Amino acid sequence: MPARLSLLGPASAAAEAGLPFDRRGCLLAYLTVEGGWVGRERLALLFWPDADETTAKRNLRQLVLRVRRLPLDPPLEATADALRWPVACDVADFRRALAAGDAPAAVDLYGGPLLDGFAVHDVGGFDAWLEGERDRLRLAFLDVGLRHSDALVYSGRYEEA
């Protein structure tokens, strides 16, 4: 799997990069979007909210073993308490452009809803997280897009707006 993922837009791009459409892909997508170390307890609760703590943590350990069998570049990193997958992705680039106030770059980077069409059912709270994250990113895109369009109109660049 390449060291860069495109998660904004059709899920087919992520699938072409090797992101599986199962719990392994859900975990990798979540870690990628979060962009740093994520506590195992948080992951266990996200993926198995109805299970007791022991069962949820055991399930997470098994999921991590299955993910480690994937040809990941870079590899999944793990400590006793947390996981991360330090892969570059368009979501992080989009967020950086927003933070820097670079509206044209942010507009260009937004390729569509986060993992549009990515559906893995019965994965605990992942679906709710994905819908919420899609909404947050879409609203950020709409906001920056409107501001960028207003700036273009103000400067007389009507066709670009």
Side-chain angles (χ1 to χ4, degrees):
M1 200 177 298
R4 177 157 185 74
L5 280 180
S6 293
L7 301 179
L8 293 171
S12 58
E16 288 171 17
L19 194 69
F21 278 55
D22 58 18
R23 278 188 195 262
R24 298 170 304 165
C26 294
L27 177 62
L28 291 171
Y30 184 83
L31 292 172
T32 301
V33 170
E34 291 300 304
W37 289 99
V38 179
R40 286 178 181 261
E41 287 184 20
R42 182 169 145 197
L43 292 166
L45 181 61
L46 175 72
F47 283 91
W48 297 277
D50 298 328
D52 62 84
E53 184 178 351
T54 303
T55 301
K57 285 183 177 180
R58 182 184 66 239
N59 290 344
L60 180 60
R61 283 191 303 274
Q62 291 170 352
L63 178 58
V64 168
L65 288 173
R66 290 182 22 233
V67 167
R68 287 189 170 190
R69 292 184 191 129
L70 294 171
L72 300 177
D73 178 30
L76 180 70
E77 296 178 0
T79 67
D81 300 323
L83 300 170
R84 79 172 172 173
W85 190 35
V87 65
C89 81
D90 54 358
V91 174
D93 295 341
F94 175 71
R95 287 178 174 157
R96 276 192 292 278
L98 288 174
D102 188 350
V107 169
D108 286 343
L109 286 163
Y110 189 82
L114 177 65
L115 289 170
D116 194 22
F118 186 87
V120 179
H121 301 291
D122 196 30
V123 186
F126 179 81
D127 286 337
W129 169 82
L130 182 57
E131 284 304 314
E133 201 61 32
R134 280 178 181 151
D135 287 345
R136 280 185 286 283
L137 292 167
R138 182 182 55 82
L139 289 172
F141 167 71
L142 291 173
D143 181 56
V144 75
L146 286 173
R147 286 188 284 123
H148 181 53
S149 182
D150 286 347
L152 290 171
V153 167
Y154 182 74
S155 66
R157 295 161 54 192
Y158 303 110
E159 286 190 28
E160 287 181 67

